[in-house]
Amino acid sequence: MKKKVVIIGTAWPFRGGLAAYNERLAREFQSAGYEVRIETFTLQYPNFLFPGKTQYADWEAPADINIQATVNSINPLNWLKVGNRIRKEAPDIVIFKYWLPFMAPCFGTIGRRVRKNKKTKVIAIADNIIPHEPRPGDKPFTHFFTKAVDGFVAMSKSVFNDIAKFDRNKPRGLCPHPLFDNFGAPLSREEAIKSLELDPNFRYLLFFGFIRDYKGLDWLLEAFADERLRKFPVRLLVAGEFYSPPDSYLKLIEKLQLNENLILHTDFIADSEVAKYFSVADMIVQPYKSATQSGVTQIGYHFEKPMLVTDVGGLSEIIPDQKVGYVVQPNVKAIADALVDFYENSRQSEFEEQVKEEKKKYSWKRMVGIISEVYQQIV
């Protein structure tokens, strides 16, 4: 008999990296012979708490995954109803993708109800345990959630260690974020240039993803203004929606006189458009001020692109310095020095060859295997 798995978290009709992750994980469980469904939100965030333009996808539902919208993140009666229903169904595993303490009361309540059947094991895949942008109530909310699960899978060593601040006894597994290989095949540079209507006479560095203050776009802008970079025909392409107020960034762009060398595509980038941006880029730049792990690096690996990351959180764990790119100190000068070195010493080809080898480590099969190992430790 097939083991039954329920994934609770973001999926279509919601958009973004969390949805892409959960949907890809569900497909991998299906490939491994599990019966799986995703229970996503009827309401994920109240609109006044959501920093972007819309939470919703503008594409059709995936035809190959069972997705049901059942969970209201702010309605305690709904949490009890969902938890009691899943408790009666008694799947083998319930998986929560945990990224934000805001979700802890909802997820923690559902987890507690489900576990009352004494069969279902609740496992948390932890993006973060301690959030990048702290808020009042984070620690008690996370304590509430961690007490409602049976085991954890962390996607970076820093998160693996953070879990111990809340629970030292339950089984813990560690598996790096798998490749985001669900954005299609790479395009030729020429195709991508034409599709994005960019100038083929320039090279492009890419900053990709939702723009939040902790992601260090301001540092990158200051680094990109370095006079040493002016001699190269290179432009910075920023692709992603502002999730922080844009005014400070726009003022900094004016101050640094970057308008001619900067391209802002600050709407949400749909899944169908991702390949264009990564295919046009020489290198993906992630100048984060704090981090645990990042899905952007795993898109970069899929498209076999060199990457620059700052030495914060778990980013250096998956980007070998001077092999597939750069791990630099989290400051403007270090970022600028690496960008100059990349072009001055024509590093792109050598890094790309190493990326092709390094990417083999990050499979979804391994993630399902680690979840299964944690499950076996619980039972």
Short mmCIF file of all heavy atoms in Angstrom, two decimals, residues 335-379:
data_model
loop_
_atom_site.label_atom_id
_atom_site.label_comp_id
_atom_site.label_asym_id
_atom_site.label_seq_id
_atom_site.Cartn_x
_atom_site.Cartn_y
_atom_site.Cartn_z
N ILE A 335 32.18 43.15 -2.50
CA ILE A 335 31.30 42.85 -3.65
C ILE A 335 31.89 43.47 -4.92
O ILE A 335 31.99 42.81 -5.96
CB ILE A 335 29.88 43.37 -3.38
CG1 ILE A 335 29.25 42.63 -2.20
CG2 ILE A 335 29.00 43.21 -4.63
CD1 ILE A 335 28.01 43.30 -1.64
N ALA A 336 32.30 44.73 -4.84
CA ALA A 336 32.86 45.40 -6.01
C ALA A 336 34.14 44.72 -6.49
O ALA A 336 34.34 44.52 -7.70
CB ALA A 336 33.14 46.87 -5.68
N ASP A 337 35.01 44.33 -5.56
CA ASP A 337 36.26 43.66 -5.94
C ASP A 337 35.98 42.38 -6.72
O ASP A 337 36.67 42.07 -7.70
CB ASP A 337 37.08 43.32 -4.69
CG ASP A 337 37.71 44.54 -4.03
OD1 ASP A 337 37.73 45.62 -4.67
OD2 ASP A 337 38.18 44.41 -2.88
N ALA A 338 34.99 41.62 -6.28
CA ALA A 338 34.67 40.36 -6.97
C ALA A 338 34.09 40.62 -8.35
O ALA A 338 34.43 39.93 -9.32
CB ALA A 338 33.69 39.54 -6.13
N LEU A 339 33.24 41.62 -8.49
CA LEU A 339 32.68 41.95 -9.80
C LEU A 339 33.78 42.36 -10.77
O LEU A 339 33.78 41.95 -11.95
CB LEU A 339 31.64 43.07 -9.67
CG LEU A 339 30.41 42.78 -8.81
CD1 LEU A 339 29.48 43.99 -8.80
CD2 LEU A 339 29.66 41.56 -9.32
N VAL A 340 34.73 43.14 -10.29
CA VAL A 340 35.86 43.57 -11.13
C VAL A 340 36.69 42.35 -11.53
O VAL A 340 37.05 42.18 -12.70
CB VAL A 340 36.73 44.62 -10.41
CG1 VAL A 340 38.01 44.90 -11.19
CG2 VAL A 340 35.93 45.91 -10.20
N ASP A 341 36.99 41.49 -10.58
CA ASP A 341 37.78 40.29 -10.88
C ASP A 341 37.09 39.42 -11.92
O ASP A 341 37.73 38.85 -12.81
CB ASP A 341 38.01 39.49 -9.59
CG ASP A 341 38.76 38.20 -9.85
OD1 ASP A 341 39.99 38.27 -10.04
OD2 ASP A 341 38.12 37.12 -9.89
N PHE A 342 35.77 39.28 -11.81
CA PHE A 342 35.01 38.43 -12.72
C PHE A 342 35.20 38.86 -14.17
O PHE A 342 35.43 38.01 -15.05
CB PHE A 342 33.53 38.49 -12.34
CG PHE A 342 32.64 37.61 -13.17
CD1 PHE A 342 32.68 36.24 -13.05
CD2 PHE A 342 31.75 38.17 -14.08
CE1 PHE A 342 31.85 35.41 -13.81
CE2 PHE A 342 30.92 37.36 -14.84
CZ PHE A 342 30.96 35.99 -14.71
N TYR A 343 35.14 40.16 -14.42
CA TYR A 343 35.28 40.63 -15.80
C TYR A 343 36.74 40.85 -16.20
O TYR A 343 37.14 40.55 -17.32
CB TYR A 343 34.46 41.91 -16.00
CG TYR A 343 32.98 41.62 -16.07
CD1 TYR A 343 32.12 41.92 -15.02
CD2 TYR A 343 32.44 40.98 -17.19
CE1 TYR A 343 30.77 41.62 -15.08
CE2 TYR A 343 31.09 40.67 -17.26
CZ TYR A 343 30.26 41.00 -16.21
OH TYR A 343 28.92 40.68 -16.27
N GLU A 344 37.54 41.35 -15.27
CA GLU A 344 38.94 41.63 -15.59
C GLU A 344 39.69 40.35 -15.95
O GLU A 344 40.57 40.34 -16.83
CB GLU A 344 39.60 42.32 -14.40
CG GLU A 344 40.82 43.13 -14.76
CD GLU A 344 41.16 44.12 -13.65
OE1 GLU A 344 41.50 43.66 -12.53
OE2 GLU A 344 41.04 45.35 -13.89
N ASN A 345 39.36 39.24 -15.29
CA ASN A 345 40.07 37.98 -15.50
C ASN A 345 39.24 36.94 -16.24
O ASN A 345 39.59 35.75 -16.24
CB ASN A 345 40.55 37.43 -14.15
CG ASN A 345 41.59 38.32 -13.51
OD1 ASN A 345 42.68 38.51 -14.06
ND2 ASN A 345 41.25 38.91 -12.37
N SER A 346 38.13 37.38 -16.85
CA SER A 346 37.30 36.52 -17.71
C SER A 346 37.00 35.17 -17.04
O SER A 346 37.31 34.10 -17.55
CB SER A 346 37.99 36.29 -19.06
OG SER A 346 38.25 37.52 -19.70
N ARG A 347 36.35 35.24 -15.87
CA ARG A 347 36.12 34.04 -15.06
C ARG A 347 34.90 33.23 -15.49
O ARG A 347 34.70 32.10 -15.02
CB ARG A 347 35.91 34.44 -13.60
CG ARG A 347 37.02 35.25 -12.98
CD ARG A 347 38.13 34.35 -12.51
NE ARG A 347 39.04 35.07 -11.62
CZ ARG A 347 40.21 34.61 -11.25
NH1 ARG A 347 40.63 33.43 -11.71
NH2 ARG A 347 40.98 35.31 -10.44
N GLN A 348 34.05 33.76 -16.34
CA GLN A 348 32.76 33.15 -16.59
C GLN A 348 32.85 31.69 -17.03
O GLN A 348 32.21 30.81 -16.47
CB GLN A 348 31.97 33.96 -17.62
CG GLN A 348 30.56 33.42 -17.84
CD GLN A 348 29.73 34.30 -18.75
OE1 GLN A 348 30.14 35.39 -19.15
NE2 GLN A 348 28.54 33.84 -19.10
N SER A 349 33.66 31.41 -18.04
CA SER A 349 33.72 30.05 -18.59
C SER A 349 34.22 29.03 -17.57
O SER A 349 33.65 27.93 -17.44
CB SER A 349 34.62 30.02 -19.82
OG SER A 349 34.06 30.79 -20.85
N GLU A 350 35.27 29.38 -16.82
CA GLU A 350 35.81 28.42 -15.85
C GLU A 350 34.81 28.14 -14.74
O GLU A 350 34.65 27.00 -14.29
CB GLU A 350 37.13 28.91 -15.25
CG GLU A 350 37.03 30.18 -14.42
CD GLU A 350 38.35 30.58 -13.78
OE1 GLU A 350 38.68 30.01 -12.72
OE2 GLU A 350 39.04 31.46 -14.34
N PHE A 351 34.08 29.18 -14.28
CA PHE A 351 33.07 28.98 -13.25
C PHE A 351 31.92 28.12 -13.78
O PHE A 351 31.41 27.25 -13.07
CB PHE A 351 32.53 30.32 -12.76
CG PHE A 351 33.46 31.09 -11.85
CD1 PHE A 351 33.26 32.44 -11.61
CD2 PHE A 351 34.53 30.47 -11.22
CE1 PHE A 351 34.10 33.16 -10.77
CE2 PHE A 351 35.39 31.18 -10.38
CZ PHE A 351 35.17 32.53 -10.16
N GLU A 352 31.49 28.37 -15.01
CA GLU A 352 30.37 27.61 -15.57
C GLU A 352 30.68 26.11 -15.63
O GLU A 352 29.81 25.27 -15.36
CB GLU A 352 30.02 28.13 -16.95
CG GLU A 352 29.26 29.46 -16.92
CD GLU A 352 29.00 30.02 -18.30
OE1 GLU A 352 29.59 29.54 -19.28
OE2 GLU A 352 28.19 30.98 -18.38
N GLU A 353 31.90 25.76 -15.96
CA GLU A 353 32.28 24.35 -16.01
C GLU A 353 32.18 23.70 -14.64
O GLU A 353 31.74 22.56 -14.49
CB GLU A 353 33.70 24.20 -16.58
CG GLU A 353 33.79 24.48 -18.06
CD GLU A 353 32.84 23.61 -18.88
OE1 GLU A 353 32.85 22.37 -18.69
OE2 GLU A 353 32.08 24.18 -19.69
N GLN A 354 32.58 24.42 -13.61
CA GLN A 354 32.51 23.89 -12.24
C GLN A 354 31.06 23.80 -11.75
O GLN A 354 30.70 22.88 -10.99
CB GLN A 354 33.33 24.76 -11.29
CG GLN A 354 34.80 24.86 -11.63
CD GLN A 354 35.59 23.62 -11.23
OE1 GLN A 354 35.02 22.67 -10.69
NE2 GLN A 354 36.88 23.61 -11.51
N VAL A 355 30.23 24.77 -12.17
CA VAL A 355 28.82 24.75 -11.79
C VAL A 355 28.16 23.46 -12.27
O VAL A 355 27.36 22.83 -11.56
CB VAL A 355 28.07 25.98 -12.35
CG1 VAL A 355 26.56 25.82 -12.20
CG2 VAL A 355 28.51 27.25 -11.64
N LYS A 356 28.49 23.03 -13.48
CA LYS A 356 27.89 21.82 -14.05
C LYS A 356 28.16 20.60 -13.19
O LYS A 356 27.32 19.70 -13.08
CB LYS A 356 28.42 21.61 -15.47
CG LYS A 356 27.93 22.64 -16.47
CD LYS A 356 28.58 22.45 -17.83
CE LYS A 356 28.17 23.56 -18.79
NZ LYS A 356 28.85 23.45 -20.10
N GLU A 357 29.34 20.55 -12.56
CA GLU A 357 29.66 19.44 -11.68
C GLU A 357 28.99 19.60 -10.31
O GLU A 357 28.43 18.66 -9.76
CB GLU A 357 31.18 19.34 -11.51
CG GLU A 357 31.90 18.79 -12.72
CD GLU A 357 31.42 17.40 -13.09
OE1 GLU A 357 31.35 16.52 -12.20
OE2 GLU A 357 31.07 17.19 -14.28
N GLU A 358 29.08 20.80 -9.76
CA GLU A 358 28.58 21.04 -8.41
C GLU A 358 27.07 20.83 -8.31
O GLU A 358 26.55 20.36 -7.29
CB GLU A 358 28.94 22.46 -7.97
CG GLU A 358 28.77 22.76 -6.50
CD GLU A 358 29.77 22.04 -5.60
OE1 GLU A 358 30.80 21.57 -6.10
OE2 GLU A 358 29.50 21.96 -4.38
N LYS A 359 26.33 21.14 -9.36
CA LYS A 359 24.87 21.07 -9.33
C LYS A 359 24.36 19.65 -9.12
O LYS A 359 23.23 19.44 -8.69
CB LYS A 359 24.27 21.65 -10.62
CG LYS A 359 24.51 20.79 -11.85
CD LYS A 359 23.94 21.44 -13.12
CE LYS A 359 22.44 21.28 -13.23
NZ LYS A 359 21.94 21.69 -14.57
N LYS A 360 25.19 18.65 -9.39
CA LYS A 360 24.76 17.26 -9.28
C LYS A 360 24.43 16.87 -7.83
O LYS A 360 23.77 15.86 -7.59
CB LYS A 360 25.85 16.34 -9.82
CG LYS A 360 26.10 16.50 -11.32
CD LYS A 360 27.28 15.66 -11.79
CE LYS A 360 27.56 15.88 -13.28
NZ LYS A 360 28.76 15.12 -13.73
N LYS A 361 24.89 17.67 -6.86
CA LYS A 361 24.66 17.36 -5.45
C LYS A 361 23.22 17.64 -5.00
O LYS A 361 22.80 17.14 -3.95
CB LYS A 361 25.58 18.20 -4.56
CG LYS A 361 27.06 17.94 -4.74
CD LYS A 361 27.85 18.86 -3.81
CE LYS A 361 29.35 18.66 -3.94
NZ LYS A 361 30.09 19.59 -3.06
N TYR A 362 22.48 18.44 -5.76
CA TYR A 362 21.26 19.02 -5.23
C TYR A 362 20.01 18.44 -5.89
O TYR A 362 19.35 19.09 -6.69
CB TYR A 362 21.31 20.54 -5.36
CG TYR A 362 22.52 21.13 -4.70
CD1 TYR A 362 23.56 21.69 -5.43
CD2 TYR A 362 22.64 21.08 -3.31
CE1 TYR A 362 24.68 22.19 -4.81
CE2 TYR A 362 23.76 21.58 -2.68
CZ TYR A 362 24.78 22.13 -3.43
OH TYR A 362 25.90 22.62 -2.80
N SER A 363 19.70 17.21 -5.53
CA SER A 363 18.57 16.52 -6.16
C SER A 363 17.35 16.50 -5.24
O SER A 363 17.47 16.49 -4.01
CB SER A 363 18.97 15.08 -6.50
OG SER A 363 19.07 14.29 -5.33
N TRP A 364 16.17 16.46 -5.85
CA TRP A 364 14.92 16.32 -5.10
C TRP A 364 14.80 14.91 -4.52
O TRP A 364 14.17 14.71 -3.47
CB TRP A 364 13.73 16.65 -6.00
CG TRP A 364 13.65 18.11 -6.27
CD1 TRP A 364 14.20 18.78 -7.32
CD2 TRP A 364 13.03 19.10 -5.44
NE1 TRP A 364 13.95 20.14 -7.20
CE2 TRP A 364 13.22 20.35 -6.07
CE3 TRP A 364 12.31 19.05 -4.25
CZ2 TRP A 364 12.73 21.53 -5.54
CZ3 TRP A 364 11.81 20.22 -3.71
CH2 TRP A 364 12.03 21.45 -4.35
N LYS A 365 15.39 13.94 -5.21
CA LYS A 365 15.38 12.57 -4.69
C LYS A 365 16.05 12.52 -3.32
O LYS A 365 15.59 11.83 -2.40
CB LYS A 365 16.11 11.65 -5.67
CG LYS A 365 16.11 10.19 -5.26
CD LYS A 365 16.79 9.32 -6.31
CE LYS A 365 16.79 7.85 -5.90
NZ LYS A 365 17.45 7.00 -6.92
N ARG A 366 17.14 13.29 -3.16
CA ARG A 366 17.82 13.33 -1.87
C ARG A 366 16.93 13.95 -0.80
O ARG A 366 16.89 13.47 0.34
CB ARG A 366 19.12 14.12 -2.01
CG ARG A 366 19.94 14.14 -0.72
CD ARG A 366 21.21 14.94 -0.87
NE ARG A 366 21.93 15.03 0.38
CZ ARG A 366 22.90 15.90 0.63
NH1 ARG A 366 23.31 16.74 -0.31
NH2 ARG A 366 23.50 15.92 1.80
N MET A 367 16.20 15.02 -1.15
CA MET A 367 15.30 15.65 -0.18
C MET A 367 14.24 14.67 0.30
O MET A 367 13.99 14.53 1.51
CB MET A 367 14.64 16.89 -0.78
CG MET A 367 13.57 17.55 0.10
SD MET A 367 14.16 18.09 1.73
CE MET A 367 15.06 19.58 1.31
N VAL A 368 13.61 13.95 -0.62
CA VAL A 368 12.62 12.95 -0.23
C VAL A 368 13.26 11.87 0.64
O VAL A 368 12.67 11.39 1.62
CB VAL A 368 11.94 12.35 -1.47
CG1 VAL A 368 11.12 11.11 -1.11
CG2 VAL A 368 11.03 13.38 -2.13
N GLY A 369 14.51 11.50 0.30
CA GLY A 369 15.22 10.50 1.09
C GLY A 369 15.48 10.95 2.52
O GLY A 369 15.32 10.18 3.47
N ILE A 370 15.86 12.22 2.70
CA ILE A 370 16.12 12.74 4.05
C ILE A 370 14.82 12.82 4.85
O ILE A 370 14.79 12.50 6.05
CB ILE A 370 16.80 14.12 3.98
CG1 ILE A 370 18.19 14.01 3.35
CG2 ILE A 370 16.90 14.75 5.37
CD1 ILE A 370 19.20 13.21 4.14
N ILE A 371 13.74 13.24 4.22
CA ILE A 371 12.43 13.26 4.90
C ILE A 371 12.07 11.86 5.35
O ILE A 371 11.61 11.64 6.49
CB ILE A 371 11.35 13.84 3.98
CG1 ILE A 371 11.61 15.33 3.71
CG2 ILE A 371 9.96 13.67 4.61
CD1 ILE A 371 10.74 15.93 2.62
N SER A 372 12.30 10.88 4.48
CA SER A 372 12.00 9.48 4.82
C SER A 372 12.87 9.01 5.99
O SER A 372 12.39 8.30 6.89
CB SER A 372 12.23 8.59 3.59
OG SER A 372 11.97 7.25 3.90
N GLU A 373 14.15 9.42 6.01
CA GLU A 373 15.01 9.04 7.12
C GLU A 373 14.53 9.60 8.45
O GLU A 373 14.53 8.92 9.49
CB GLU A 373 16.45 9.51 6.85
CG GLU A 373 17.17 8.71 5.78
CD GLU A 373 18.56 9.26 5.49
OE1 GLU A 373 19.06 10.05 6.32
OE2 GLU A 373 19.14 8.90 4.44
N VAL A 374 14.12 10.88 8.43
CA VAL A 374 13.59 11.49 9.65
C VAL A 374 12.32 10.77 10.09
O VAL A 374 12.13 10.49 11.28
CB VAL A 374 13.33 13.00 9.42
CG1 VAL A 374 12.56 13.60 10.59
CG2 VAL A 374 14.65 13.74 9.22
N TYR A 375 11.47 10.44 9.12
CA TYR A 375 10.24 9.70 9.44
C TYR A 375 10.55 8.37 10.11
O TYR A 375 9.94 8.00 11.12
CB TYR A 375 9.43 9.48 8.15
CG TYR A 375 8.25 8.56 8.32
CD1 TYR A 375 7.09 9.01 8.95
CD2 TYR A 375 8.28 7.26 7.84
CE1 TYR A 375 6.00 8.18 9.11
CE2 TYR A 375 7.20 6.41 7.99
CZ TYR A 375 6.05 6.87 8.62
OH TYR A 375 4.97 6.03 8.77
N GLN A 376 11.55 7.65 9.58
CA GLN A 376 11.91 6.36 10.16
C GLN A 376 12.45 6.49 11.58
O GLN A 376 12.21 5.63 12.43
CB GLN A 376 12.94 5.66 9.26
CG GLN A 376 12.41 5.21 7.91
CD GLN A 376 11.25 4.23 8.02
OE1 GLN A 376 11.18 3.44 8.95
NE2 GLN A 376 10.33 4.31 7.08
N GLN A 377 13.15 7.60 11.84
CA GLN A 377 13.64 7.84 13.20
C GLN A 377 12.49 8.10 14.17
O GLN A 377 12.57 7.74 15.35
CB GLN A 377 14.60 9.03 13.22
CG GLN A 377 15.93 8.78 12.51
CD GLN A 377 16.79 10.03 12.52
OE1 GLN A 377 17.08 10.59 13.56
NE2 GLN A 377 17.20 10.46 11.34
N ILE A 378 11.43 8.72 13.66
CA ILE A 378 10.28 9.04 14.51
C ILE A 378 9.51 7.77 14.86
O ILE A 378 9.14 7.54 16.02
CB ILE A 378 9.36 10.05 13.81
CG1 ILE A 378 10.06 11.38 13.58
CG2 ILE A 378 8.10 10.27 14.65
CD1 ILE A 378 9.35 12.31 12.60
N VAL A 379 9.25 6.95 13.84
CA VAL A 379 8.42 5.77 14.08
C VAL A 379 9.20 4.67 14.83
O VAL A 379 8.61 3.80 15.44
CB VAL A 379 7.83 5.19 12.76
CG1 VAL A 379 6.93 6.22 12.11
CG2 VAL A 379 8.93 4.75 11.81
#
